[in-house]
Amino acid sequence: MSPSLGNRPAARLVTGEREFVMEHIAALLLIIGCSGDLKQCDEMPSPVTVYETYEECQSQLAPALSSFRGQRDKLFGQCVYVDPAMEEEDAELVWDIGRDGQLHASIEATNAQMAATVDRSIKTSGIAH
């Protein structure tokens, strides 16, 4: 069951083992650590994962990645835009390391009929190390 805020249920965002209430979340900081051959990749637990503004997340991306140096062969980081229109929907973070060696991530509604569309060219710029 979803947590509630006031008289209405709050939306939930599920990522890995963590769950967040989506009220007032504009961006999610995603850090992925991989083996050198990219066959084993996992979400890394960053100290702060959600931000009220996308710009605030972007400003913390490089320092967060630096804090994981040496823990994995390859690190990827990205601020993923959370669409305010999804505030009423349950959602999940979907990510993949593409054939191009880049991290691709988006927030998608868990209801298959209400899939979210994210403009990756504007809102999901990332860093790879």
Side-chain angles (χ1 to χ4, degrees), residues 16-29:
E17 298 289 322
R18 297 170 288 185
E19 184 175 313
F20 304 98
V21 176
M22 285 179 40
E23 189 90 357
H24 304 298
I25 298 175
L28 176 80
L29 177 58

Side-chain angles (χ1 to χ4, degrees), residues 83-102:
D83 185 351
M86 293 186 70
E87 185 177 306
E88 300 286 329
E89 302 295 325
D90 285 348
E92 65 182 337
L93 173 65
V94 177
W95 61 267
D96 184 44
I97 306 296
R99 290 184 192 160
D100 58 0
Q102 298 295 311

Side-chain angles (χ1 to χ4, degrees), residues 2-87:
S2 295
S4 69
L5 295 174
N7 293 331
R8 65 181 176 80
R12 294 178 303 127
L13 171 66
V14 178
T15 169
E17 298 289 322
R18 297 170 288 185
E19 184 175 313
F20 304 98
V21 176
M22 285 179 40
E23 189 90 357
H24 304 298
I25 298 175
L28 176 80
L29 177 58
L30 175 63
I31 299 175
I32 304 295
C34 296
S35 61
D37 61 5
L38 300 179
K39 290 185 179 181
Q40 176 71 32
C41 295
D42 299 296
E43 290 181 31
M44 304 295 285
S46 62
V48 177
T49 311
V50 294
Y51 294 88
E52 288 188 16
T53 68
Y54 183 79
E55 293 76 18
E56 183 182 10
C57 181
Q58 281 293 111
S59 73
Q60 296 302 309
L61 181 56
L65 276 170
S66 293
S67 71
F68 287 102
R69 266 201 193 104
Q71 294 185 28
R72 295 292 178 92
D73 293 331
K74 296 195 179 199
L75 291 171
F76 299 87
Q78 182 172 326
C79 288
V80 183
Y81 174 72
V82 178
D83 185 351
M86 293 186 70
E87 185 177 306

